[in-house]
Amino acid sequence: MTSLSPPRHPRSPRRLPAALAGATAGALVLGLAAFPARAESGTGAPLGTVARTVGDAHYEPGPCPRTADPVPDLARARCGTLTVPENRSRHKGRKITLAVAIIPAAAKRRAPDPIVWLAGGPGDDAVSEIPMALAGGLDRDRDLVFMSQRGTYSADPELTCPNIDAFNARALGLVSNAPSTGRLHVEATRECRDRVASQGADRSAYNDIESSADYDALRRTLGVAKWNVFGISYGTHLALNYMRLHPKGIRAVGIDGVLPPSIAGGAVTWKAAREGFDGLFKACEEQPACATRYPHLKDTFLRLVSELEARPVTTTVTVPDRPEPVKVVLDGGNLVGWLTSATHVAAGVPRSLDELAHGNPQRIAEQLAGGKYSPQAMGRVAHGLVYGIFCSQWTPYESRADVIRGGRRAFPSFPRSMPANAPQLAWLHDDCRAWDVPAAPPSIRDVTRSDIPTLLLSGGFDAQTAPSNGAYAARTLSRSVAVTVPYVAHVVFADSTCAQTMTVSFFDRPDAPDTRCLAGLRPPAFEIAP
C-alpha cells in the first residue's frame, strides 16, 4: 500500500534518496560513438511552445500545473499539457491530460538533446521532483522535461487516495502482521478502488505499457528527434520498459535506484532490505568508534526483530501539528520498515538500535510517526497508479509463496509471521484481489535487451532497491556502466554530489562518464552516545 519511494523523514525532506560497500563499476563496453541529437520544435521556437498533434496525442502550451509544495523554478518554466487516450486499445475511449513543465537549460548555449525525468514511486508526480533535478545540475546545458505520469497529482484525473495515506499513519498503532490489520488494509484499498471508479477511471490502463507510450507521444508532439532519459526509483522500472517498448528517439538513459521489471515484487524487496542493512552494519564494524560502542550491531537488530515480533512494545509520541499523542506499536515488522527508511539517515541508526535494545523505543517511534504523519505523506501519491502497476505487473507473476521464500532466504532467523509481508508491500496479494485488474501480458516481465548507452547507479545502503540490481540489469544492456556509490541509501542522485557529477558527465559523454569521485568517498561518522 506504500510506494517504493521512501517516506519523507522529518530530518530528510527529500522524497527520494541513496547508500555503502566498496564502489563497484560495471564493465564499460568500449567503442561508443558520439551521439548527435536534435531537439526540434518544428519552427525553431523554444521547446514546448508549439501546439502539435501526432496521431492520437496532442500537446498544447499553457499554464504551469499546480503543485502540492511550492516549486519556485516553475516561474521560468515553459508549460503545457499532453492529451492522450486513457486506454489505447479502446479507439473511442476517453482522453486524459498529463501536465508538462520544461525547465530551460541554465547555459546560453544549450545541448540540442533534452533530458526527460521519470519520477519515482510509483505514484509520485514528476513536477514535484524539479528541485531535486536542479540541485543535481541536470539543467546545466540541457532543457529538462517533466511530465506527470497518468493518475499523479498534477494529471487529470488525479488518482490519489488520501484515505490510504491516513490508514498507513494509523496502522503504526496496529500489530503489523496481525490478520485483523490485513483486513483493515484491504478495506482501505477497496475504498480507494471505489474512489477511483467513481472518477470513471479505467483501472487497467494505469501501467508501464501505457505510460511508456505516453512518453513516446510526448517526445513526438514536442518535435524532439532524440532525447535522454533519467529515472529514479520506480522511474528506473518504467525507463527499462520504455527502452524495450519504444527505443526510437532515446539517445542515452540514466537510472538510479534500479528496479528491473523482470524481478520486481516482494522477494527482491526482501533481498534489498538485507543488502542495504548489511551495508550499513558493515560500515559500523569498519569504523572503530562505532564498532566499539555498538558491537555486533547486526546481531542486535536481528534479535530485536524476533523479540518485538513476539512481544511488541507500545508507546506514544508527539507529532508536530497534531494535538493528541500518536500511538506506535513497535513490532518486528515496524522495526524492519523503520530501518528500510532510516538508511537515509544512517549516522543515527546504531545509536537508535542501541537505545531500543536498552528499553528506550522513543527515537525510533518518533521517526516512524514523523514520516507517516508528515504533511508530505498525505494526499501526494497516486495510489491508482501504484495498484495499477503492482496488481497487473507484479502479483500475477509472483505468488505469496515466492515472497515467503524470498523473505526466508534473506532473513532465515525472522519469525514465521513476517516473510509474507515484504517491506513496503504488506498484504499486497490481498490488496490486489480487491483492486481487481487483469494481468498485463507476460512480456511485461521480459528483461530489457538494448544497446542504448545506459548508466546504472545504486547505493551501497539502499534497502529499497537492492544494490545488486544494477549489475543484474546491466547484463543485457550491452553499452552500460553499473556503479555502486558507497555509504548512500536509495536514489544516490538526491544525496551524493559524486553521483550528480557522474550523471551530468554521462549525458555529456555516454561513452566515458567521469567516475573518479568514487575513490574519495568516506563512510558517515556514526553518532556515538555518551
Side-chain angles (χ1 to χ4, degrees):
M1 187 171 294
T2 56
S3 64
L4 291 178
S5 301
R8 292 184 187 266
H9 189 281
R11 293 169 52 196
S12 180
R14 298 190 199 102
R15 180 103 180 118
L16 296 149
L20 161 101
T24 56
L28 170 63
V29 178
L30 300 178
L32 300 182
F35 300 93
R38 294 179 297 147
E40 303 171 342
S41 69
T43 64
L47 189 65
T49 59
V50 177
R52 180 183 282 106
T53 299
V54 178
D56 52 15
H58 177 73
Y59 176 80
E60 183 69 33
C64 288
R66 71 182 187 120
T67 57
D69 297 306
V71 180
D73 282 283
L74 283 177
R76 64 185 180 95
R78 300 188 292 268
C79 297
T81 54
L82 180 73
T83 301
V84 294
E86 182 178 47
N87 188 328
R88 288 176 171 84
S89 68
R90 298 177 181 174
H91 300 298
K92 295 186 178 180
R94 76 169 185 167
K95 303 280 189 175
I96 61 174
T97 301
L98 312 177
V100 178
I102 300 169
I103 302 292
K108 290 183 179 179
R109 293 189 60 185
R110 64 177 177 85
D113 43 294
I115 299 172
V116 62
W117 177 280
L118 305 190
D124 288 351
D125 191 337
V127 178
S128 72
E129 294 177 354
I130 287 174
M132 188 195 307
L134 300 186
L138 276 189
D139 65 329
R140 187 193 65 190
D141 56 5
R142 282 180 168 81
D143 290 350
L144 300 184
V145 181
F146 300 84
M147 182 174 73
S148 54
Q149 292 168 28
R150 47 181 52 213
T152 57
Y153 187 85
S154 59
D156 184 12
E158 169 208 337
L159 302 184
T160 57
C161 287
N163 77 291
I164 296 280
D165 305 319
F167 174 79
N168 286 339
R170 265 195 334 274
L172 287 177
L174 305 174
V175 175
S176 298
N177 294 303
S180 57
T181 301
R183 289 191 291 271
L184 292 172
H185 215 282
V186 174
E187 284 180 18
T189 299
R190 287 198 186 98
E191 182 181 337
C192 177
R193 179 199 65 195
D194 293 345
R195 181 181 190 273
V196 168
S198 72
Q199 295 174 266
D202 178 352
R203 296 192 307 280
S204 70
Y206 290 80
N207 55 49
D208 280 12
I209 296 171
E210 293 287 0
S211 289
S212 295
D214 294 341
Y215 279 99
D216 186 59
L218 178 64
R219 180 187 63 79
R220 291 182 293 117
T221 57
L222 290 177
V224 175
K226 281 189 178 292
W227 65 9
N228 305 283
V229 176
F230 187 67
I232 60 171
S233 191
Y234 159 71
T236 70
H237 185 288
L238 176 57
L240 287 164
N241 271 328
Y242 177 33
M243 292 168 69
R244 184 174 60 82
L245 295 169
H246 299 279
K248 182 180 179 182
I250 300 177
R251 171 183 177 262
V253 176
I255 50 179
D256 180 359
V258 182
L259 182 62
S262 57
I263 58 172
V268 77
T269 305
W270 277 122
K271 180 172 179 282
R274 184 60 188 257
E275 291 185 19
F277 297 171
D278 282 354
L280 193 157
F281 296 145
K282 185 171 185 290
C284 177
E285 289 171 6
E286 293 175 346
Q287 195 169 112
C290 188
T292 300
R293 180 64 180 80
Y294 309 113
H296 313 297
L297 189 63
K298 177 178 177 178
D299 292 340
T300 298
F301 168 72
L302 295 175
R303 173 176 58 80
L304 285 169
V305 169
S306 294
E307 290 178 355
L308 289 169
E309 188 68 6
R311 294 177 297 280
V313 170
T314 300
T315 188
T316 59
V317 298
T318 301
V319 174
D321 301 322
R322 291 190 66 84
E324 300 296 327
V326 168
K327 176 183 174 184
V328 176
V329 173
L330 199 53
D331 55 19
N334 273 336
L335 184 60
V336 170
W338 165 78
L339 186 52
T340 301
S341 295
T343 52
H344 297 295
V345 285
V349 164
R351 180 175 181 176
S352 295
L353 287 172
D354 184 68
E355 289 180 2
L356 179 62
H358 288 87
N360 182 2
Q362 291 305 109
R363 181 190 293 238
I364 290 176
E366 287 170 358
Q367 291 180 351
L368 278 168
K372 293 294 187 182
Y373 282 94
S374 165
Q376 288 76 28
M378 299 290 173
R380 311 294 179 87
V381 173
H383 294 284
L385 178 60
V386 174
Y387 282 131
I389 291 157
F390 288 175
C391 301
S392 71
Q393 300 179 207
W394 293 15
T395 58
Y397 300 105
E398 181 185 57
S399 69
R400 188 191 302 268
D402 293 331
V403 178
I404 292 171
R405 281 192 292 272
R408 289 177 177 163
R409 277 195 304 270
F411 296 98
S413 70
F414 278 9
R416 294 180 64 85
S417 58
M418 293 187 62
N421 285 326
Q424 310 171 85
L425 301 174
W427 310 104
L428 185 58
H429 281 79
D430 297 331
D431 285 335
C432 283
R433 279 194 294 273
W435 197 252
D436 189 26
V437 290
S443 59
I444 200 67
R445 303 285 288 191
D446 286 352
V447 298
T448 299
R449 303 180 186 278
S450 177
D451 61 359
I452 297 171
T454 307
L455 175 67
L456 303 98
L457 295 172
S458 301
F461 289 176
D462 189 349
Q464 295 168 265
T465 56
S468 62
N469 286 356
Y472 169 86
R475 295 182 310 168
T476 54
L477 302 173
S478 63
R479 303 162 90 173
S480 64
V481 183
V483 177
T484 296
V485 180
Y487 317 122
V488 195
H490 181 57
V491 181
V492 295
F493 186 86
D495 285 348
S496 166
T497 55
C498 179
Q500 294 164 359
T501 297
M502 284 190 289
T503 302
V504 173
S505 74
F506 168 73
F507 288 121
D508 283 348
R509 296 186 62 192
D511 56 330
D514 184 356
T515 62
R516 291 174 294 176
C517 59
L518 289 168
L521 299 180
R522 297 291 180 266
F526 291 102
E527 295 177 20
I528 305 298

